[in-house]
Amino acid sequence: MTRTEKRTVDGMRIFFTGVGGQGTLLATQITGEAALQEGLPVSMSEIHGMAQRGGVVESSIVVGDLWSPTISDGDADVMVAFEPLEGLRALPKCHAGTIALVNKTPIVPFTVAVGQGIYPPVEEIVQSIARVLERVVTLDATAMAREAGNEKATNIVMIGVLAGLALLPVSRDSWIRAIKSVLPSRLHDLNLKAFEQGFREGTAAAKAA
C-alpha cells in the first residue's frame, strides 16, 4: 500500500469492515443513531458482498459537514475491522493518521478450511496494519462478547471501544440510547453488557495513548 499523507478533515469518516454474519451493518446503524442523538449530521453507505457465504461486508459513516456518504481510498479517519484479515484488506481506505480498531479473532474463509489456502498469522496481520497507520487498537472482542453472554455481540463490543476512545463527540448516554432504540428490548441487557466491556477497553486505550 502506498502510504498517504495525514490530512486535516472537517468531519470524520469511519469505515467498517467485516464478513457476513458479524453484524457490521448493525454496528454502523447504531453508530449513526448515536451521532444523530447528539444532533450531528450523518450520512451512511453500505457495500454488501457475498454476506450469506461469509463474504466481505463494508459500510461507512460520515459525520459532520461532509457531503459524500462514501469513503474513497485514503479517506478513512477511523477503521473498525471486525475481522483481522478484512482489516488488512481495507488498508487502502486509510491514510497515515487513521486510527484502527481491530478484532483479533479470525474467521477462516471456506477456501482455507478446505485446504486451498492459508490464513496468515494474526500477529503478522496486526503488525502489517500497525506499520502504516498512526495507531492500532487490538482486542479479542469475540472473547469479550462471549463473556458478556453471546459472541454475536462482538459488534457491540467493538462500538463500545469506539465510544470509549471518544473519537466522536458522542456521550456514553447517547450511545446507550442508540443501542436501545435500534435493538429489541429482549436484547438490551446482553448488548449493554457487551457495550460496557468495550467502553472500558476503549477508555483504557484512550488513557494509555
Side-chain angles (χ1 to χ4, degrees):
M1 187 189 80
T2 301
R3 180 170 175 155
T4 55
E5 295 300 319
K6 181 178 180 179
R7 300 174 304 104
T8 299
V9 296
D10 297 322
M12 179 172 289
R13 299 173 176 87
I14 307 175
F15 187 77
F16 298 81
T17 183
V19 300
Q22 288 194 291
T24 304
L25 300 183
L26 178 61
T28 307
Q29 182 184 358
I30 291 173
T31 302
E33 179 61 31
L36 287 173
Q37 291 278 345
E38 294 284 345
L40 298 170
V42 177
S43 298
M44 294 176 54
S45 67
E46 304 171 356
I47 300 173
H48 300 262
M50 297 175 66
Q52 298 301 318
R53 299 182 182 180
V56 62
V57 177
E58 298 176 343
S59 57
S60 62
I61 283 186
V62 175
V63 181
D65 295 325
L66 301 170
W67 291 103
S68 175
T70 60
I71 297 178
S72 301
D73 284 355
D75 271 349
D77 302 298
V78 179
M79 175 177 68
V80 181
F82 297 90
E83 204 279 335
L85 192 56
E86 295 306 328
L88 182 64
R89 288 173 173 157
L91 275 180
K93 290 291 184 183
C94 302
H95 54 79
T98 300
I99 297 173
L101 283 60
V102 180
N103 178 25
K104 295 174 67 175
T105 301
I107 295 180
V108 177
F110 175 76
T111 51
V112 173
V114 298
Q116 297 179 356
I118 297 174
Y119 193 101
V122 171
E123 289 305 320
E124 290 184 11
I125 294 173
V126 171
Q127 289 171 9
S128 295
I129 297 173
R131 275 196 292 270
V132 294
L133 300 186
E134 179 173 297
R135 188 175 178 205
V136 180
V137 177
T138 61
L139 70 156
D140 191 342
T142 304
M144 294 171 66
R146 197 177 298 121
E147 289 176 8
N150 192 324
E151 69 177 43
K152 290 184 178 179
T154 297
N155 56 346
I156 306 301
V157 172
M158 293 294 285
I159 63 170
V161 177
L162 178 64
L165 286 168
L167 301 174
L168 278 171
V170 175
S171 69
R172 175 177 168 276
D173 287 346
S174 288
W175 282 99
I176 290 174
R177 282 197 295 272
I179 291 171
K180 288 183 176 179
S181 69
V182 172
L183 296 177
S185 58
R186 61 185 171 79
L187 299 178
H188 285 178
D189 288 347
L190 165 65
N191 284 283
L192 289 175
K193 186 176 180 181
F195 173 81
E196 293 297 344
Q197 289 200 14
F199 189 83
R200 287 194 294 271
E201 186 82 8
T203 301
K207 290 179 178 177

